[in-house]
Amino acid sequence: MARRRASDHPCLVVCPPGLEDLVADELVALGARPERTTRGGVSVGLTTRRLYAANLFLRCATRVLVRVDRFTVRSFADLERRIAAVDWSPWLGADVAPRFRVTTRHSKLWHDGAVAERFAAAFPEVDGADEDADGHRPLVVVRGVDDRFTVSVDASGAPLHERGWRQATAKAPLRESVAAGLLASAGWDPTTPLVDPMCGSGTIAIEAALRSAGVPAAADRHLALWDWPTYEPGTWASVAADAARLRDAAPVPDGSGPPRIVAADRDAGAVEAARANAERAGVADRIEFRVAPVAELRPPEPDPSGGATTGAASGPGLVATNPPWGGRVGGGDLRNLYATLGRVAAERCPGWGIGVLVADRALARQVRPGLGERLHLELGGRSAHWLVGRLPT
Ligand SMILES: C[S@@+](CC[C@H](N)C(=O)[O-])C[C@H]1O[C@@H](n2cnc3c(N)ncnc32)[C@H](O)[C@@H]1O
């Protein structure tokens, strides 16, 4: 196979289904031109620099796959020949044994395990090669549809939604990438306040605080592409320098004003988990934690300094929340809970935006009639709707 130019990586950016358009927007913001969206993925050609930047900055993505080869095969003999011809050298060192994740559909070679075995056989067992010194093992993703196979290497390593802070978990936590998608699609401006009155483990508030602090999505974590033989440390350093500049430009709370992000929950254990998570994420000083029922929802305290030093804007903010759905977080009178949310939000946060993540759209009408669907997601095998509107002034 001809060696690929470093400036030309055909990629698939994988994301939670429903976030494709937001990922495409994020790629455009990095200067890339997305080609096509499919359910759970965006195809895009990336230069090496943009490939690195995508892994560092994309907030809504799960991983970035780089296509290594594509071929049509209908027999194992042909598959073995095609595997033998793949040039793995840009991505895999000589002593590395990757993992293979295979899925096939409508293909003569339908046995995923048998296909994976053929790939694995191309990598003679090397003692201790399963993982590198830090426990990382490269991932190769093989997908066969209608006998056409696409072979990709994973550039990301651990999923990109793992920002590294989650340990303490309350019930039914959202993925960090989903929280990022909720905020982006609601048009939340990180200089304005945000309240999550049913914060659970704090995912929405922590993602908001990380954004307001200018912390890139994959800060302080290992990326699979760092282990590639073709890894360019100079290019990475330049992308990391961009990230540092953004972080330096973000306003730092100086303690003189109250935080502009509120994470509240009636469950003290959930609030403790949220606080511990925020501390690990390095943003606890940007969030006010409250143990309170939704009936006590209030916006953040006004900043006596006018927010000049904290960078806080006075403008209306966003109430963004993921209430219990019944099935996932049980009990109580959900209609009443949703109605209370709508009533107190309208009373205490006039003119603010409101976003509610629900499984049941009828329940959302209790919050406010006329909320519009911004995202249709699939969470834990269930359909979920992110409904957004504006509270009257
Ligand atoms: C689905 S969970 C939120 C999960 C959260 N988004 C996360 O990522 O961890 C719903 C939360 O609503 C809280 N909750 C339920 N009823 C409440 C009420 N009346 N007032 C405040 N919080 C409530 C529960 O304690 C639970 O933590």
Side-chain angles (χ1 to χ4, degrees):
M1 200 174 83
R3 190 167 278 228
R4 191 188 309 289
R5 282 186 301 127
S7 62
D8 178 24
H9 303 285
C11 295
L12 177 72
V13 181
V14 180
C15 64
L19 296 187
E20 301 84 357
D21 290 346
L22 292 169
V23 168
D25 290 347
E26 290 192 288
L27 286 164
V28 169
L30 294 177
R33 286 197 201 158
E35 288 149 16
R36 205 163 69 95
T37 58
T38 46
R39 190 146 176 76
V42 181
S43 306
V44 61
L46 295 173
T47 61
T48 298
R49 194 174 198 291
R50 289 199 184 112
L51 173 64
Y52 292 5
N55 275 281
L56 183 56
F57 290 112
L58 293 183
R59 305 203 84 89
C60 299
T62 307
R63 60 177 67 257
V64 183
L65 302 175
V66 179
R67 197 171 69 231
V68 169
D69 209 349
R70 196 186 242 174
F71 44 74
T72 301
V73 286
R74 295 187 181 84
S75 71
F76 281 114
D78 282 346
L79 176 65
E80 283 162 14
R81 263 193 294 279
R82 296 308 302 243
I83 293 171
V86 175
D87 176 12
W88 302 99
S89 64
W91 304 282
L92 302 174
D95 57 349
V96 170
R99 293 174 291 141
F100 293 94
R101 185 180 294 166
V102 178
T103 49
T104 57
R105 206 156 41 89
H106 304 149
S107 296
K108 254 196 140 122
L109 303 183
W110 53 268
H111 194 302
D112 299 351
V115 171
E117 268 171 28
R118 299 316 195 276
F119 275 92
F123 293 83
E125 285 304 318
V126 184
D127 273 349
D130 279 1
E131 292 182 350
D132 70 14
D134 300 320
H136 306 112
R137 191 173 169 196
L139 172 68
V140 174
V141 175
V142 180
R143 198 167 138 72
V145 180
D146 297 328
D147 301 323
R148 193 151 175 73
F149 284 73
T150 308
V151 183
S152 308
V153 286
D154 165 43
S156 306
L160 293 172
H161 63 78
E162 290 178 12
R163 310 268 198 259
W165 53 257
R166 190 185 296 283
Q167 274 179 23
T169 299
K171 294 169 217 159
L174 285 179
R175 270 193 196 179
E176 296 82 332
S177 50
V178 172
L182 304 184
L183 295 173
S185 67
W188 179 64
D189 168 352
T191 65
T192 64
L194 179 130
V195 177
D196 181 353
M198 290 179 263
C199 70
S201 62
T203 318
I204 295 174
I206 293 169
E207 181 60 24
L210 287 167
R211 256 189 75 188
S212 75
V215 179
D220 309 325
R221 48 156 286 162
H222 184 93
L223 291 171
L225 60 84
W226 291 352
D227 301 327
W228 292 355
T230 46
Y231 171 60
E232 297 173 15
T235 306
W236 176 262
S238 133
V239 172
D242 283 354
R245 267 193 295 279
L246 285 173
R247 216 168 165 158
D248 290 347
V252 181
D254 62 1
S256 68
R260 311 298 291 161
I261 296 171
V262 175
D265 201 290
R266 70 170 177 194
D267 177 346
V271 175
E272 242 352 275
R275 189 196 306 276
N277 284 331
E279 271 161 18
R280 263 187 303 277
V283 290
D285 58 347
R286 289 178 178 267
I287 303 176
E288 182 191 336
F289 298 93
R290 298 177 185 157
V291 179
V294 73
E296 288 172 24
L297 183 158
R298 345 177 229 105
E301 300 302 329
D303 182 350
S305 75
T309 49
T310 60
S314 51
L318 179 71
V319 176
T321 200
N322 163 209
W325 290 357
R328 282 174 96 212
V329 181
D333 180 348
L334 285 181
R335 284 169 68 88
N336 201 14
L337 175 67
Y338 281 58
T340 305
L341 168 65
R343 183 176 48 75
V344 295
E347 249 171 51
R348 298 178 202 154
C349 303
W352 283 40
I354 182 163
V356 194
L357 185 67
V358 297
D360 176 352
R361 276 189 267 206
L363 269 177
R365 279 197 284 279
Q366 302 294 322
V367 178
R368 270 209 88 61
L371 297 182
E373 179 166 280
R374 289 288 163 84
L375 297 173
H376 183 186
L377 302 159
E378 221 175 82
L379 302 177
R382 282 185 77 176
S383 232
H385 312 273
W386 174 235
L387 305 172
V388 174
R390 189 147 294 277
L391 297 162
T393 44

